[in-house]
Amino acid sequence: METGMRNQEPVMTPVQSLQRKAVAEVTAEPPRFKVYTERHLDRIPQLQLLTAEQRFAMRVVARVLPFRVNQYVLDELIDWREVPDDPLFRLVFPQAGMLAEADFDQMADALRSGDDARIQATVADIRHRLNPHPAGQQQLNVPHLDGEPLDGVQHKYRETLLFFPSQGQVCHSYCTFCFRWAQFIGDKDLRFSAREAEHLHRYLQQHPAISDLLVTGGDPMVMKTSHLAAYLEPLLQPDFEHVQTIRIGTKSLSFWPQRYVSDADADDLLRLLEKLVRAGKHVALMAHVNHWRELETPVVREAIRRLRDAGVVIRTQAPLLNHINNDPAVWARMWREQVSLGMVPYYLFVERDTGARHYFEVPLARAWEVYREAMQRVSGLGRTARGPSMSAGPGKVEVQGVTEVAGEKVFVLRFIQARNPDWVQRPFFARYDEKATWLDQLRPAFGESKFFFEDEYAAMCRGEAPVRFTA
Ligand SMILES: *Cc1c(COP(=O)(O)O)cnc(C)c1O
C-alpha cells in the first residue's frame, strides 16, 4: 500500500525514517504535542489510505467510544503499510467490530439521519449497555474522610491507595480497549485543585497501613510537573513515612515519550522523581505497554534511559487483547525487550468486561496458553509478570492453570489481591469452560454451589461485612 503522506521525501526504510525523525526530535526543535479527536478524524492525512466505508465505520464507533490520537502515534508507532491490521492502528483507531452489529447499525442509521436528538439518544443508549462501570468501581471503593465520601480516590486493597488527580483524567491518546473509557466522555474539569491535594494527604496521614500510593487516571503524566509536585513533594515529610512506594500508572512512555525528553518541563519532572528516590521512596512507573513495537523508537529508548538514571523503576503491564497481542511470540519478545531495557514485567491482565470487550476478549483458557507459552520462551528475569489476572469485584484473580483433579477438568485459580487480605494465595477451583472469558462465567468445581469467598463478598456488597481497612 502507498503511504502517500511521505511522497515528497526520498524513499527510506521504515527504520531509517524512524531514526531520522527521532534524531531530529531529540536534537532540533522539541516537537509540539498535537492531538486529534473524533471531530478531527477527517484531518488525519493518513486516513486517506482507507476506503470511504472504513472511514464512515470509524466515525460511527468514535461517536460511542472515546477517540483521541496524537501526531507521534500517527507518525512513529502505526505502520500505515499494514493498516487496518496493524496492531498499533487497532490500539487507537475505532474499528467496525468494536460495537455489536446491531449497535453499529443503529448508530450508523442515526448518523445518516443527521437528526441530532436521535444521535444523542442512540449514543447514550449504546453506552449504557456497555457496562460503563465494571467491578463495582463506583459503589464499593469510595473511601471516606471525616465521614464524607472522598472523590478521586479508591481504596480497595489495604496497602494501596489509588488516586485520580482531576487534571490527569485524559491521556496522550486513547486506547480502544480502555476499561476506563466511560470516564473520558463528557466535559471534565481538568483544573488543579488544592483541596484535592489536601484531601489526599489527610487520608494518607490517617491510614498508616497504606504503603503504596498509585497515582493513576487517565494518565497523570499529562499533568504539568508543578502539579505533580504539589501532590508528591509533601510526601517527603515525616508523617508520610509509611508511604514507601509511589507508583505512577501511565501510557506516556508509549504515546508521548517526549514527556521525559524534550517537553518544556521534562527536566523538572526527572528532578522531581529523583528527589523522591533520593529521599528513600521507591518510585515506580507502571508503564502500560501492549506491544513491543511501542518500545522501538529512539525517543522512547531515551525516555527509558533518563527515567532509570533518575532511579525510577519501570514496571510494565497490559491486557491480553485479541487482534493486538493474542500471540505468545508477541509477549515473549515484549518481555525480553523490556528486561534488556531494564524494565520489570509485572502483570498480564485479562481484558475487562466493559466497552468493546467482545472485540478484544480472549477465552481464559487461551489467555493461560498465551501466558504459559510466552513464559516458556523467556529467561527467569522475564517471568516476573503474573497473570492472566482478572481485576474483578472481589479482587485480582489469577488463572494459574488448567488441570485435572479427581477426574474433573478444572481451572486452578488464586487471588493475587483481594478485598479481604485473607483470601490471597488460597488455591481454588472452577469447572473448566473453554468459552469463559471472565470470573462471573465460572462455576465452582467438584459440584460445590459457591466459591469460598462468595458469601463474604456478597455481604460486603450489601454493606454488612466490613471492608476492614477503609472504615
Ligand atoms: C491492581 C490494583 C492495585 C494494586 O495492586 P498490587 O497487587 O499491589 O499491584 C490497587 N488497587 C486496585 C483497585 C487495583 O486494581
Side-chain angles (χ1 to χ4, degrees):
M1 196 183 285
E2 263 288 316
T3 52
M5 63 185 173
R6 288 193 184 129
N7 53 11
Q8 74 280 33
E9 293 180 8
V11 178
M12 285 187 284
T13 66
V15 172
Q16 282 172 331
S17 129
L18 284 183
Q19 280 170 344
R20 207 187 70 163
K21 286 212 144 202
V23 167
E25 273 173 17
V26 175
T27 55
E29 289 273 291
R32 232 168 25 88
F33 183 74
K34 184 173 173 199
V35 76
Y36 301 84
T37 67
E38 185 242 331
R39 289 188 302 278
H40 317 116
L41 267 173
D42 289 336
R43 289 195 223 147
I44 299 173
Q46 288 98 329
L47 290 189
Q48 298 311 315
L49 292 167
L50 302 180
T51 64
E53 195 187 350
Q54 283 170 319
R55 286 199 300 271
F56 177 70
M58 209 171 253
R59 273 206 303 280
V60 171
V61 181
R63 283 312 288 254
V64 178
L65 298 169
F67 168 73
R68 185 175 157 93
V69 66
N70 73 61
Q71 200 74 47
Y72 170 76
V73 175
L74 291 174
D75 293 348
E76 314 292 350
L77 293 189
I78 293 172
D79 181 351
W80 290 95
R81 293 162 309 179
E82 299 296 327
V83 164
D85 298 331
D86 181 61
L88 297 201
F89 176 74
R90 287 173 167 162
L91 185 63
V92 291
F93 277 95
Q95 316 281 306
M98 290 176 190
L99 291 182
E101 214 173 294
D103 289 344
F104 183 92
D105 292 343
Q106 192 193 346
M107 192 64 238
D109 288 345
L111 266 190
R112 282 194 207 97
S113 78
D115 174 348
D116 236 26
R118 179 174 164 193
I119 293 172
Q120 296 306 330
T122 308
V123 167
D125 184 35
I126 298 173
R127 282 178 182 164
H128 182 71
R129 282 198 298 262
L130 295 178
N131 189 23
H133 303 288
Q137 300 284 356
Q138 285 194 313
Q139 311 80 24
L140 265 182
N141 301 335
V142 178
H144 289 71
L145 184 70
D146 308 329
E148 296 292 317
L150 193 53
D151 285 342
V153 175
Q154 281 181 20
H155 193 183
K156 180 168 174 179
Y157 306 131
R158 188 176 51 195
E159 305 79 16
T160 306
L161 187 74
L162 256 53
F163 174 53
F164 302 75
S166 54
Q167 330 84 274
Q169 297 315 306
V170 289
C171 299
H172 292 104
S173 291
Y174 289 151
C175 298
T176 39
F177 66 83
C178 182
F179 77 95
R180 295 209 172 119
W181 63 275
Q183 78 192 35
F184 301 128
I185 285 160
D187 292 328
K188 287 166 297 288
D189 186 355
L190 298 176
R191 280 170 306 185
F192 177 80
S193 131
R195 215 170 127 256
E196 206 172 73
E198 187 219 312
H199 283 171
L200 168 72
H201 295 143
R202 283 229 320 273
Y203 190 83
L204 287 172
Q205 281 165 329
Q206 291 174 13
H207 292 81
I210 298 174
S211 60
D212 289 41
L213 170 65
L214 172 43
V215 187
T216 182
D219 194 324
M221 286 304 188
V222 303
M223 278 195 272
K224 286 190 203 143
T225 301
S226 59
H227 290 164
L228 206 54
Y231 294 117
L232 300 184
E233 264 185 336
L235 304 181
L236 295 176
Q237 291 157 22
D239 43 341
F240 297 102
E241 209 168 345
H242 57 289
V243 184
Q244 290 175 347
T245 301
I246 297 166
R247 303 191 215 176
I248 302 172
T250 185
K251 184 76 187 173
S252 55
L253 261 189
S254 299
F255 283 167
W256 188 243
Q258 291 81 354
R259 180 70 191 93
Y260 309 94
V261 177
S262 56
D263 274 6
D265 58 353
D267 290 350
D268 293 340
L269 174 61
L270 289 158
R271 272 193 290 270
L272 167 68
L273 300 176
E274 187 170 23
K275 185 173 176 185
L276 296 165
V277 171
R278 291 242 172 113
K281 302 291 185 193
H282 177 124
V283 178
L285 196 86
M286 308 305 289
H288 203 120
V289 186
N290 298 93
H291 199 286
W292 53 264
R293 289 245 317 274
E294 294 160 45
L295 301 174
E296 301 294 290
T297 67
V299 58
V300 69
R301 298 288 168 107
E302 178 64 6
I304 293 167
R305 192 191 65 72
R306 297 191 94 204
L307 281 161
R308 294 188 62 220
D309 273 1
V312 173
V313 176
I314 307 173
R315 295 180 183 269
T316 60
Q317 54 190 29
L320 173 58
L321 302 163
N322 202 12
H323 303 295
I324 291 185
N325 60 19
N326 181 9
D327 178 355
V330 168
W331 284 88
R333 177 163 180 183
M334 181 162 80
W335 284 337
R336 275 197 302 265
E337 290 198 10
Q338 289 171 355
V339 169
S340 82
L341 293 168
M343 306 159 94
V344 185
Y346 189 58
Y347 276 133
L348 179 154
F349 289 120
V350 177
E351 165 67 355
R352 292 211 206 198
D353 52 342
T354 179
R357 74 177 293 190
H358 66 276
Y359 180 87
F360 292 111
E361 74 189 353
V362 171
L364 296 173
R366 166 68 183 164
W368 172 66
E369 245 171 50
V370 170
Y371 174 81
R372 179 166 173 264
E373 281 181 38
M375 278 275 147
Q376 289 174 352
R377 296 181 198 187
V378 300
S379 92
L381 293 190
R383 295 182 192 177
T384 48
R386 287 165 300 165
S389 171
M390 290 173 270
S391 297
K396 279 193 174 65
V397 176
E398 182 187 59
V399 179
Q400 293 212 274
V402 175
T403 191
E404 220 178 87
V405 178
E408 185 175 339
K409 196 171 182 186
V410 295
F411 284 116
V412 185
L413 307 165
R414 67 160 176 166
F415 279 101
I416 296 173
Q417 263 297 4
R419 279 185 196 279
N420 180 348
D422 189 47
W423 301 346
V424 172
Q425 297 286 357
R426 287 196 203 178
F428 64 104
F429 301 90
R431 248 187 267 163
Y432 180 75
D433 177 341
E434 64 176 5
K435 295 209 184 85
T437 57
W438 196 251
L439 185 64
D440 60 359
Q441 296 158 9
L442 295 179
R443 296 292 159 256
F446 316 130
E448 284 173 24
S449 62
K450 50 195 154 189
F451 293 117
F452 76 91
F453 57 88
E454 274 188 66
D455 284 341
E456 192 180 344
Y457 178 57
M460 286 175 177
C461 293
R462 291 191 306 267
E464 289 164 18
V467 181
R468 290 147 217 273
F469 47 87
T470 54

